[in-house]
Amino acid sequence: MKKIIVSLAVLTLVTSSCVSKKKFASLEAKNKEIQDLLNTSTVKLNLCNEEKSGLNASLASLKDQLENLKKNNSDLINNMGNMTTLSTQGAQNIEKALETIKEKDLKITRMQDALTKKDSVTLALVTSLKSSVGISDPDIEVNVEKGVVFISIADKLLFKSGSYVVSERAKEVLAKVAKVVNDKPTFECMVEGHTDNVPFTGNAYLTDNWDLSVKRSTAIIRVLTKELKVNPAQLIAAGRSEFIPLVENNSAENRAKNRRTRIVVLPKIDEFYDMIEKEMKKPAKQ
Protein backbone atom coordinates (compact mmCIF):
# COMPACT_ATOMS: atom_id res chain seq x y z
CA MET A 1 0.00 0.00 0.00
CA LYS A 2 2.80 2.44 0.86
CA LYS A 3 4.50 1.70 -2.45
CA ILE A 4 1.30 2.56 -4.31
CA ILE A 5 0.97 5.90 -2.46
CA VAL A 6 4.60 6.80 -3.20
CA SER A 7 4.15 5.93 -6.87
CA LEU A 8 1.06 8.12 -7.13
CA ALA A 9 2.90 11.04 -5.53
CA VAL A 10 5.79 10.72 -8.00
CA LEU A 11 3.35 10.52 -10.92
CA THR A 12 1.60 13.69 -9.69
CA LEU A 13 4.88 15.58 -9.47
CA VAL A 14 5.94 14.52 -12.99
CA THR A 15 2.58 15.51 -14.45
CA SER A 16 2.70 18.91 -12.72
CA SER A 17 6.22 19.48 -14.05
CA CYS A 18 5.11 18.74 -17.60
CA VAL A 19 2.25 21.18 -17.41
CA SER A 20 4.60 23.89 -16.11
CA LYS A 21 7.00 23.24 -19.00
CA LYS A 22 4.16 23.52 -21.50
CA LYS A 23 3.04 26.80 -20.01
CA PHE A 24 6.61 28.05 -20.05
CA ALA A 25 7.03 27.06 -23.71
CA SER A 26 3.77 28.78 -24.61
CA LEU A 27 4.84 31.95 -22.80
CA GLU A 28 8.20 31.84 -24.56
CA ALA A 29 6.49 31.52 -27.97
CA LYS A 30 4.13 34.41 -27.17
CA ASN A 31 7.03 36.53 -25.96
CA LYS A 32 8.95 35.87 -29.18
CA GLU A 33 5.90 36.75 -31.27
CA ILE A 34 5.41 40.00 -29.37
CA GLN A 35 9.11 40.85 -29.63
CA ASP A 36 8.97 40.26 -33.39
CA LEU A 37 6.01 42.61 -33.65
CA LEU A 38 7.83 45.22 -31.59
CA ASN A 39 10.95 44.92 -33.74
CA THR A 40 8.84 45.28 -36.91
CA SER A 41 7.10 48.41 -35.65
CA THR A 42 10.41 49.90 -34.49
CA VAL A 43 11.93 49.30 -37.94
CA LYS A 44 8.91 50.96 -39.56
CA LEU A 45 9.16 53.97 -37.26
CA ASN A 46 12.92 54.33 -37.83
CA LEU A 47 12.41 54.02 -41.59
CA CYS A 48 9.78 56.74 -41.49
CA ASN A 49 12.10 59.08 -39.59
CA GLU A 50 15.05 58.33 -41.92
CA GLU A 51 12.96 58.90 -45.04
CA LYS A 52 11.61 62.19 -43.71
CA SER A 53 15.17 63.34 -42.93
CA GLY A 54 16.19 62.40 -46.45
CA LEU A 55 13.30 64.37 -47.94
CA ASN A 56 14.17 67.41 -45.85
CA ALA A 57 17.79 67.15 -47.04
CA SER A 58 16.62 66.91 -50.66
CA LEU A 59 14.42 69.95 -50.15
CA ALA A 60 17.35 71.92 -48.72
CA SER A 61 19.53 70.87 -51.65
CA LEU A 62 16.90 72.01 -54.16
CA LYS A 63 16.64 75.35 -52.41
CA ASP A 64 20.43 75.79 -52.62
CA GLN A 65 20.35 74.95 -56.32
CA LEU A 66 17.57 77.46 -56.85
CA GLU A 67 19.52 80.20 -55.08
CA ASN A 68 22.60 79.45 -57.21
CA LEU A 69 20.55 79.59 -60.41
CA LYS A 70 18.95 82.86 -59.33
CA LYS A 71 22.41 84.29 -58.60
CA ASN A 72 23.73 83.12 -61.98
CA ASN A 73 20.72 84.63 -63.72
CA SER A 74 21.20 87.89 -61.87
CA ASP A 75 24.87 87.97 -62.88
CA LEU A 76 23.94 87.34 -66.49
CA ILE A 77 21.44 90.17 -66.48
CA ASN A 78 23.89 92.55 -64.80
CA ASN A 79 26.60 91.76 -67.33
CA MET A 80 24.58 91.64 -70.50
CA GLY A 81 24.36 95.44 -70.87
CA ASN A 82 22.28 96.46 -73.81
CA MET A 83 19.90 93.65 -74.79
CA THR A 84 20.25 94.51 -78.46
CA THR A 85 23.91 93.49 -78.40
CA LEU A 86 23.28 90.04 -77.02
CA SER A 87 24.02 87.19 -79.32
CA THR A 88 21.36 84.66 -80.15
CA GLN A 89 23.23 82.05 -78.13
CA GLY A 90 23.40 84.31 -75.08
CA ALA A 91 19.67 84.96 -75.22
CA GLN A 92 19.03 81.21 -75.43
CA ASN A 93 21.24 80.57 -72.40
CA ILE A 94 19.29 83.10 -70.36
CA GLU A 95 16.02 81.55 -71.46
CA LYS A 96 17.24 78.07 -70.45
CA ALA A 97 18.39 79.36 -67.07
CA LEU A 98 15.00 80.94 -66.47
CA GLU A 99 13.23 77.69 -67.41
CA THR A 100 15.46 75.75 -65.02
CA ILE A 101 14.64 78.17 -62.22
CA LYS A 102 10.93 77.73 -62.90
CA GLU A 103 11.27 73.93 -62.79
CA LYS A 104 13.19 73.99 -59.51
CA ASP A 105 10.66 76.40 -58.04
CA LEU A 106 7.83 74.08 -59.08
CA LYS A 107 9.52 71.00 -57.54
CA ILE A 108 10.14 72.80 -54.26
CA THR A 109 6.58 74.13 -54.15
CA ARG A 110 5.10 70.69 -54.76
CA MET A 111 7.31 69.00 -52.18
CA GLN A 112 6.36 71.68 -49.66
CA ASP A 113 2.69 71.13 -50.52
CA ALA A 114 3.07 67.39 -49.86
CA LEU A 115 4.80 68.00 -46.52
CA THR A 116 2.11 70.51 -45.58
CA LYS A 117 -0.64 68.03 -46.42
CA LYS A 118 1.04 65.34 -44.31
CA ASP A 119 1.35 67.77 -41.39
CA SER A 120 -2.29 68.75 -41.88
CA VAL A 121 -3.38 65.10 -41.67
CA THR A 122 -1.39 64.68 -38.44
CA LEU A 123 -2.80 67.91 -36.98
CA ALA A 124 -6.34 66.88 -37.91
CA LEU A 125 -5.80 63.54 -36.19
CA VAL A 126 -4.54 65.21 -33.00
CA THR A 127 -7.46 67.66 -33.02
CA SER A 128 -9.90 64.80 -33.54
CA LEU A 129 -8.39 62.80 -30.70
CA LYS A 130 -8.40 65.73 -28.29
CA SER A 131 -12.00 66.60 -29.05
CA SER A 132 -13.19 62.97 -29.00
CA VAL A 133 -11.35 61.80 -25.91
CA GLY A 134 -11.98 65.04 -24.05
CA ILE A 135 -8.41 65.72 -23.10
CA SER A 136 -9.03 67.73 -19.96
CA ASP A 137 -7.85 64.87 -17.76
CA PRO A 138 -4.18 65.28 -16.74
CA ASP A 139 -3.86 61.48 -16.84
CA ILE A 140 -4.42 61.46 -20.62
CA GLU A 141 -1.98 63.17 -22.99
CA VAL A 142 -1.95 63.49 -26.78
CA ASN A 143 1.13 64.87 -28.52
CA VAL A 144 3.09 64.67 -31.76
CA GLU A 145 6.77 63.84 -32.16
CA LYS A 146 8.37 63.73 -35.63
CA GLY A 147 5.02 63.29 -37.34
CA VAL A 148 3.88 60.44 -35.07
CA VAL A 149 0.89 60.81 -32.71
CA PHE A 150 1.23 59.49 -29.14
CA ILE A 151 -1.70 58.91 -26.75
CA SER A 152 -0.48 58.31 -23.20
CA ILE A 153 -2.92 57.05 -20.53
CA ALA A 154 -1.96 56.71 -16.87
CA ASP A 155 -2.36 53.18 -15.55
CA LYS A 156 -4.57 54.31 -12.66
CA LEU A 157 -7.26 54.97 -15.28
CA LEU A 158 -6.79 51.54 -16.83
CA PHE A 159 -5.80 48.97 -14.20
CA LYS A 160 -5.60 48.27 -10.51
CA SER A 161 -2.11 47.89 -9.04
CA GLY A 162 -0.42 44.73 -10.30
CA SER A 163 -3.45 43.83 -12.44
CA TYR A 164 -4.02 43.65 -16.18
CA VAL A 165 -7.84 43.66 -16.01
CA VAL A 166 -9.12 46.75 -17.86
CA SER A 167 -11.40 48.94 -15.72
CA GLU A 168 -14.85 50.10 -16.83
CA ARG A 169 -13.72 53.74 -16.74
CA ALA A 170 -10.86 52.85 -19.07
CA LYS A 171 -13.29 51.32 -21.55
CA GLU A 172 -15.04 54.69 -21.85
CA VAL A 173 -11.75 56.35 -22.84
CA LEU A 174 -10.75 53.48 -25.14
CA ALA A 175 -14.13 53.69 -26.89
CA LYS A 176 -13.35 57.28 -27.89
CA VAL A 177 -9.87 56.34 -29.05
CA ALA A 178 -11.33 53.41 -31.02
CA LYS A 179 -13.71 55.76 -32.85
CA VAL A 180 -10.81 57.86 -34.10
CA VAL A 181 -8.76 54.78 -35.06
CA ASN A 182 -11.73 53.30 -36.93
CA ASP A 183 -11.98 56.54 -38.91
CA LYS A 184 -8.35 56.01 -40.05
CA PRO A 185 -8.37 52.44 -41.48
CA THR A 186 -4.97 52.90 -43.17
CA PHE A 187 -3.18 53.83 -39.92
CA GLU A 188 -1.47 51.37 -37.57
CA CYS A 189 -1.53 51.62 -33.77
CA MET A 190 1.06 50.17 -31.41
CA VAL A 191 -0.18 49.67 -27.84
CA GLU A 192 2.79 49.91 -25.44
CA GLY A 193 2.64 48.83 -21.80
CA HIS A 194 5.06 50.61 -19.40
CA THR A 195 5.76 49.89 -15.71
CA ASP A 196 7.82 51.50 -12.96
CA ASN A 197 11.00 49.88 -11.64
CA VAL A 198 9.47 48.19 -8.59
CA PRO A 199 10.15 44.45 -9.08
CA PHE A 200 7.04 42.39 -9.68
CA THR A 201 7.03 39.49 -7.24
CA GLY A 202 5.25 37.20 -9.67
CA ASN A 203 2.31 34.81 -9.44
CA ALA A 204 0.90 31.87 -11.33
CA TYR A 205 0.34 34.01 -14.45
CA LEU A 206 3.00 36.76 -14.33
CA THR A 207 6.74 36.49 -13.78
CA ASP A 208 8.04 40.06 -13.84
CA ASN A 209 7.44 43.60 -15.17
CA TRP A 210 7.98 42.39 -18.73
CA ASP A 211 5.06 40.02 -18.36
CA LEU A 212 2.91 42.68 -16.72
CA SER A 213 3.58 45.30 -19.41
CA VAL A 214 2.83 42.85 -22.23
CA LYS A 215 -0.31 41.53 -20.54
CA ARG A 216 -1.62 45.07 -20.12
CA SER A 217 -0.97 45.79 -23.79
CA THR A 218 -2.78 42.66 -24.98
CA ALA A 219 -5.65 43.27 -22.53
CA ILE A 220 -6.26 46.70 -24.08
CA ILE A 221 -5.99 45.24 -27.58
CA ARG A 222 -8.66 42.67 -26.72
CA VAL A 223 -11.00 45.46 -25.59
CA LEU A 224 -10.30 47.46 -28.77
CA THR A 225 -10.88 44.49 -31.08
CA LYS A 226 -13.52 42.38 -29.37
CA GLU A 227 -15.65 45.07 -27.74
CA LEU A 228 -14.92 48.18 -29.82
CA LYS A 229 -14.54 46.54 -33.25
CA VAL A 230 -11.11 47.93 -34.16
CA ASN A 231 -9.51 46.01 -37.04
CA PRO A 232 -6.90 43.66 -35.46
CA ALA A 233 -4.64 44.16 -38.49
CA GLN A 234 -4.15 47.79 -37.41
CA LEU A 235 -2.88 46.90 -33.93
CA ILE A 236 0.55 45.93 -32.57
CA ALA A 237 1.08 44.70 -28.99
CA ALA A 238 4.27 45.80 -27.20
CA GLY A 239 5.57 45.61 -23.63
CA ARG A 240 8.39 47.99 -22.64
CA SER A 241 8.59 47.00 -18.94
CA GLU A 242 10.40 49.65 -16.83
CA PHE A 243 13.04 50.65 -19.36
CA ILE A 244 11.49 53.74 -21.05
CA PRO A 245 10.64 55.92 -18.02
CA LEU A 246 9.30 59.44 -18.39
CA VAL A 247 11.00 60.54 -15.15
CA GLU A 248 13.31 58.99 -12.58
CA ASN A 249 11.69 56.34 -10.38
CA ASN A 250 12.75 58.12 -7.21
CA SER A 251 9.35 58.87 -5.67
CA ALA A 252 5.83 57.45 -5.53
CA GLU A 253 4.58 60.31 -7.71
CA ASN A 254 7.23 59.71 -10.38
CA ARG A 255 6.66 55.97 -10.38
CA ALA A 256 2.95 56.64 -10.95
CA LYS A 257 3.85 58.77 -14.01
CA ASN A 258 5.97 55.95 -15.43
CA ARG A 259 3.16 53.40 -15.07
CA ARG A 260 1.25 54.09 -18.25
CA THR A 261 -0.04 52.72 -21.52
CA ARG A 262 0.95 54.51 -24.69
CA ILE A 263 -0.89 54.16 -28.01
CA VAL A 264 1.35 55.14 -30.92
CA VAL A 265 -0.55 56.07 -34.10
CA LEU A 266 1.64 55.34 -37.12
CA PRO A 267 0.63 56.76 -40.52
CA LYS A 268 1.94 54.51 -43.29
CA ILE A 269 4.95 55.98 -45.07
CA ASP A 270 3.70 54.59 -48.42
CA GLU A 271 0.76 56.98 -48.31
CA PHE A 272 3.10 59.93 -47.82
CA TYR A 273 5.17 58.94 -50.86
CA ASP A 274 2.01 58.49 -52.93
CA MET A 275 1.03 62.00 -51.90
CA ILE A 276 4.40 63.38 -53.05
CA GLU A 277 4.24 61.43 -56.32
CA LYS A 278 0.79 62.81 -57.11
CA GLU A 279 1.99 66.35 -56.39
CA MET A 280 5.04 65.92 -58.65
CA LYS A 281 2.92 64.57 -61.51
CA LYS A 282 0.57 67.54 -61.56
CA PRO A 283 0.89 69.57 -64.78
CA ALA A 284 2.51 72.98 -64.48
CA LYS A 285 0.09 75.87 -64.23
CA GLN A 286 0.09 78.09 -67.29
Side-chain angles (χ1 to χ4, degrees), residues 264-277:
V264 185
V265 184
L266 304 167
K268 291 185 178 178
I269 192 65
D270 292 345
E271 292 187 354
F272 174 55
Y273 284 124
D274 288 343
M275 192 185 299
I276 290 180
E277 187 176 355

Side-chain angles (χ1 to χ4, degrees), residues 48 88 169 253:
C48 179
T88 302
R169 184 185 176 194
E253 182 180 357

Side-chain angles (χ1 to χ4, degrees), residues 24-266:
F24 180 74
S26 174
L27 287 172
E28 275 194 327
K30 287 183 180 179
N31 183 57
K32 183 179 183 304
E33 181 182 351
I34 291 168
Q35 188 61 46
D36 289 344
L37 288 172
L38 175 59
N39 290 340
T40 299
S41 63
T42 302
V43 168
K44 286 184 178 180
L45 181 57
N46 290 338
L47 178 60
C48 179
N49 290 333
E50 289 173 5
E51 294 294 350
K52 183 178 179 182
S53 297
L55 288 169
N56 287 332
S58 298
L59 181 59
S61 176
L62 285 171
K63 285 183 176 180
D64 290 340
Q65 292 179 42
L66 176 60
E67 290 302 318
N68 288 334
L69 286 168
K70 286 181 177 179
K71 184 178 183 302
N72 291 338
N73 184 55
S74 178
D75 292 342
L76 284 171
I77 293 175
N78 290 335
N79 294 329
M80 69 183 181
N82 192 338
M83 286 291 293
T84 58
T85 63
L86 285 175
S87 64
T88 302
Q89 185 63 44
Q92 289 176 349
N93 288 341
I94 292 175
E95 186 176 351
K96 287 179 180 179
L98 290 172
E99 286 299 322
T100 302
I101 290 172
K102 288 180 181 179
E103 289 177 5
K104 296 292 184 183
D105 264 334
L106 183 61
K107 286 183 179 180
I108 290 173
T109 299
R110 287 178 174 174
M111 188 172 288
Q112 287 175 330
D113 288 344
L115 288 168
T116 300
K117 285 182 180 179
K118 177 179 178 292
D119 290 340
S120 296
V121 169
T122 301
L123 179 60
L125 178 60
V126 173
T127 302
S128 178
L129 280 166
K130 288 188 175 182
S131 61
S132 296
V133 181
I135 308 299
S136 58
D137 195 320
D139 295 317
I140 306 172
E141 293 182 0
V142 177
N143 55 60
V144 179
E145 296 176 18
K146 298 181 179 179
V148 179
V149 179
F150 296 91
I151 310 164
S152 186
I153 308 173
D155 267 8
K156 66 182 180 181
L157 287 182
L158 301 174
F159 310 100
K160 293 181 180 179
S161 178
S163 170
Y164 54 88
V165 177
V166 181
S167 69
E168 291 303 317
R169 184 185 176 194
K171 291 180 182 180
E172 295 176 8
V173 175
L174 292 176
K176 295 175 181 179
V177 174
K179 182 180 183 303
V180 177
V181 175
N182 285 333
D183 289 339
K184 302 290 181 183
T186 60
F187 282 39
E188 293 180 338
C189 298
M190 181 165 62
V191 180
E192 294 181 346
H194 295 260
T195 69
D196 58 28
N197 68 340
V198 176
F200 188 78
T201 55
N203 55 34
Y205 304 100
L206 298 173
T207 303
D208 53 21
N209 282 333
W210 279 112
D211 274 356
L212 180 59
S213 63
V214 172
K215 282 285 189 182
R216 286 180 168 177
S217 172
T218 55
I220 288 173
I221 283 180
R222 287 189 188 94
V223 172
L224 290 173
T225 55
K226 294 183 179 181
E227 299 183 29
L228 303 174
K229 310 305 179 185
V230 174
N231 181 6
Q234 290 181 254
L235 301 175
I236 303 165
R240 307 306 296 270
S241 188
E242 66 199 60
F243 300 105
I244 315 290
L246 294 174
V247 292
E248 290 188 30
N249 286 290
N250 54 9
S251 68
E253 182 180 357
N254 282 358
R255 285 191 292 272
K257 289 181 181 179
N258 290 330
R259 294 191 300 271
R260 68 201 187 278
T261 295
R262 188 169 73 162
I263 300 174
V264 185
V265 184
L266 304 167

